[in-house]
Amino acid sequence: MKQNEFKKRRATLMKQIGKGNIAIIASASHRTRNRDVLYPYRQDSDFYYLTGFNESESLAVFIPGREKGEYVLFCREYDEKKALWEGAHAGLEGATEHYAADDSFPITDLDDILPGMLENKGKVFYPMGKDSELDHKLMEWINNIRKQSRTGVSAPGELVSLEHIVHEMRLFKSTEELKLMRRAATVSAQAHCRAMQSCKPGLFEYQIEAELTHEFMQQGLRAVAYPSIVAAGKNACVLHYTENKDKLGKGDLLLIDAGVECEHYAADITRTFPISGVFSEPQKKLYQLVLDAQYAALEQVKPGIAWHIAHEASVQVLTAGLVKLGLLKGKVSKLIKEEKYKQFYMHRIGHWLGMDVHDVGEYKIKDEWRLLEPGMVLTVEPGLYIPANCESVDKMWRGIGIRIEDDVLVTANGHEVLTAAVPKTIADIEALMRGA
Ligand code: GLY
Ligand code: MN
Ligand code: MN
């Protein structure tokens, strides 16, 4: 992503903060996995969105109208020894030269410098309650300013959620963001195809996960957007199954929910396919029903349609289909009203997608479901999960879990499916798995 994009975002933010106010946001911290081993570092999405700066121990300050520069970055000073052990870091000069900060200071001087920046400001925008250390420090800084009120300085009087502004910005994807999302989608789609092609009975779920990881990394993308779910047979009925340890049974389906990140932008794809390459009759019937529900939901993804309509479309199709196949009994409208479908379809149709897989942005505005607008990206992912011990349905349906998930951009006239490159019709899946 070019620096210019981050500059544009900061300019938009500055306008919304307004002169006389200040915004503060901290980087993510490193987290220990065990003793000296750290989890892979992932920058805080909001922080990265505004700075493009990928280091921990940093803090960005935005002060509209500040004479010596509106954008201030606190970060680690360059340290040759540290660079030898931990790799390159920008240092104070790098922060201004390469990351376009107007001014930079050592993070170790934060307590000395930041209180001065807060003096005489009206509002402080910051991520309230997200980082207890920052919450605590801010209160300390503000209290210290209060103590000096006799010298004529005043402490900020209002704390405001920064997320409210930044998340609304993040909900609408720019052309530059969409380039990265398309790449994440393309590579994830290729990984799903590879998984389908390498699948055969007797392999283990983790071996299919290895195929996904192989494709992600061969394509130059190292971070998954979330732990890959590779769930064979009844494991697919566990929505967040990530153990990926079981053997692939011949007659079962395999559900894969996996997506990679490209420069902090996620893809999120689910496909469900027969381990042997050919759907059985009951699998076919349930699969086609989920696919029809997805098509019905996708039809409702266009500007001006409220967010929940796609969900309702999927509920309608799934409930009617479950009645037709005999898994539910009764009148469709009554079953929907009484939410009887929820025993088999217990999640919603999808979520916003962006830097976070379950991305930020309000779903309701003033208690009303929000209308879709061009530039929003969401997932459309209906599913059916028939528990293995579900005695109310015929045996042939039990232990089947199916989800079909695509990433969808709302366009001016409708929508574009970013992940269409992975087959999802029964014929196309079987053809790919046959090597046709
Ligand atoms: N992979 C998480 C989800 O589908 O929401
Ligand atoms: Mn999803
Ligand atoms: Mn998913």
Side-chain angles (χ1 to χ4, degrees):
M1 181 89 72
K2 295 201 186 88
Q3 275 304 319
N4 210 29
E5 176 84 3
F6 296 107
K7 266 190 203 165
K8 270 195 249 164
R9 295 171 184 175
R10 288 193 293 268
T12 307
L13 177 72
M14 296 283 182
K15 260 195 217 141
Q16 300 210 42
I17 299 168
K19 279 202 180 135
N21 302 316
I22 183 169
I24 300 171
I25 185 164
S27 67
S29 308
H30 276 289
R31 283 177 50 217
T32 304
R33 180 176 179 273
N34 54 317
R35 286 184 64 87
D36 295 338
V37 182
L38 302 176
Y39 281 107
Y41 184 68
R42 170 57 158 77
Q43 186 56 281
D44 176 81
S45 297
D46 288 338
F47 183 87
Y48 192 84
Y49 181 82
L50 294 169
T51 65
F53 197 65
N54 207 15
E55 293 183 26
S56 65
E57 295 175 65
S58 28
L59 184 134
V61 187
F62 307 99
I63 315 171
R66 178 175 177 263
E67 267 180 31
K68 283 179 238 154
E70 298 184 317
Y71 167 36
V72 180
L73 196 54
F74 288 84
C75 61
R76 289 176 296 168
E77 285 181 275
Y78 187 76
D79 176 336
E80 213 153 295
K81 253 195 214 151
K82 260 201 165 156
L84 199 63
W85 283 83
E86 295 167 18
H89 46 286
L92 302 186
E93 272 180 30
T96 50
E97 263 177 45
H98 304 305
Y99 295 91
D102 297 316
D103 213 349
S104 58
F105 297 102
I107 189 79
T108 45
D109 292 352
L110 191 61
D111 286 329
D112 297 328
I113 298 172
L114 199 59
M117 294 176 167
L118 290 168
E119 282 176 8
N120 303 324
K121 298 292 184 302
K123 298 178 191 168
V124 184
F125 292 81
Y126 87 109
M128 271 190 271
K130 183 167 168 189
D131 175 344
S132 55
E133 198 185 326
L134 183 61
D135 281 337
H136 182 78
K137 279 202 170 230
L138 186 59
M139 290 310 137
E140 224 174 66
W141 296 325
I142 290 177
N143 275 330
N144 284 340
I145 302 173
R146 280 190 187 136
K147 281 184 202 147
Q148 300 163 31
S149 64
R150 263 174 276 161
T151 66
V153 295
S154 70
E158 227 180 299
L159 301 179
V160 188
S161 158
L162 178 64
E163 279 110 324
H164 196 70
I165 299 175
V166 178
H167 292 181
E168 192 62 18
M169 289 167 66
R170 279 178 53 190
L171 180 55
F172 296 90
K173 274 67 180 179
S174 68
T175 311
E176 290 300 312
E177 289 180 289
L178 287 172
K179 271 189 207 160
L180 301 178
M181 292 196 75
R182 281 179 206 283
R183 173 134 174 78
T186 302
V187 173
S188 301
Q190 285 166 348
H192 275 262
C193 290
R194 183 184 175 98
M196 279 185 197
Q197 286 168 308
S198 49
C199 180
K200 54 179 187 230
L203 289 177
F204 285 82
E205 292 165 341
Y206 49 76
Q207 290 177 292
I208 301 296
E209 184 180 1
E211 298 294 339
L212 298 163
T213 310
H214 176 94
E215 192 67 29
F216 294 156
M217 293 218 187
Q218 285 296 338
Q219 303 268 5
L221 303 182
R222 260 192 87 203
V224 285
Y226 53 92
S228 302
I229 297 171
V230 182
K234 64 179 177 6
N235 291 343
C237 298
V238 181
L239 291 185
H240 293 146
Y241 177 81
T242 49
E243 288 168 277
N244 300 356
K245 65 174 177 36
D246 286 348
K247 207 175 195 171
L248 310 188
K250 195 169 164 223
D252 285 339
L253 294 177
L254 184 64
L255 180 153
I256 298 181
D257 184 345
V260 79
E261 259 184 21
C262 177
E263 293 186 38
H264 297 84
Y265 285 85
D268 182 9
I269 306 179
T270 307
R271 287 292 185 270
T272 311
F273 54 89
I275 287 164
S276 65
V278 182
F279 285 88
S280 71
E281 280 310 309
Q283 288 167 352
K284 235 183 214 175
K285 289 203 170 88
L286 281 183
Y287 185 89
Q288 190 58 47
L289 178 52
V290 177
L291 188 57
D292 290 344
Q294 206 218 22
Y295 288 141
L298 282 169
E299 229 173 87
Q300 302 303 327
V301 178
K302 51 192 165 192
I305 301 289
W307 156 261
H308 69 299
I309 300 294
H311 180 70
E312 289 183 358
S314 70
V315 166
Q316 179 67 40
V317 172
L318 288 176
T319 309
L322 288 168
V323 170
K324 209 165 158 206
L325 295 177
L327 284 93
L328 285 177
K329 287 178 186 68
K331 214 171 142 207
V332 173
S333 56
K334 189 157 180 270
L335 291 167
I336 291 176
K337 204 163 160 218
E338 292 172 358
E339 300 187 336
K340 294 285 194 234
Y341 60 87
K342 276 196 175 171
Q343 56 180 305
F344 304 124
Y345 177 37
M346 59 293 281
H347 56 76
R348 291 194 64 85
I349 191 69
H351 47 83
W352 305 131
L353 182 73
M355 297 183 81
D356 295 307
V357 63
H358 290 178
D359 207 31
V360 295
E362 300 290 349
Y363 291 90
K364 276 187 171 181
I365 293 181
K366 291 196 184 115
D367 250 14
E368 295 285 332
W369 291 108
R370 154 167 228 160
L371 303 185
L372 297 176
E373 294 177 57
M376 293 172 164
V377 180
L378 57 145
T379 66
V380 176
E381 49 177 308
L384 278 180
Y385 314 89
I386 321 295
N389 60 0
C390 184
E391 292 189 353
S392 68
V393 304
D394 192 285
K395 270 202 186 109
M396 67 180 168
W397 308 117
R398 293 183 202 168
I400 296 181
I402 297 166
R403 179 164 65 256
I404 305 171
E405 173 175 31
D406 280 301
D407 303 344
V408 187
L409 165 68
V410 183
T411 60
N413 306 316
H415 67 258
E416 177 191 340
V417 178
L418 304 177
T419 46
V422 207
K424 64 180 172 186
T425 66
I426 290 172
D428 288 349
I429 289 174
E430 289 185 348
L432 182 72
M433 293 186 76
R434 274 202 302 276

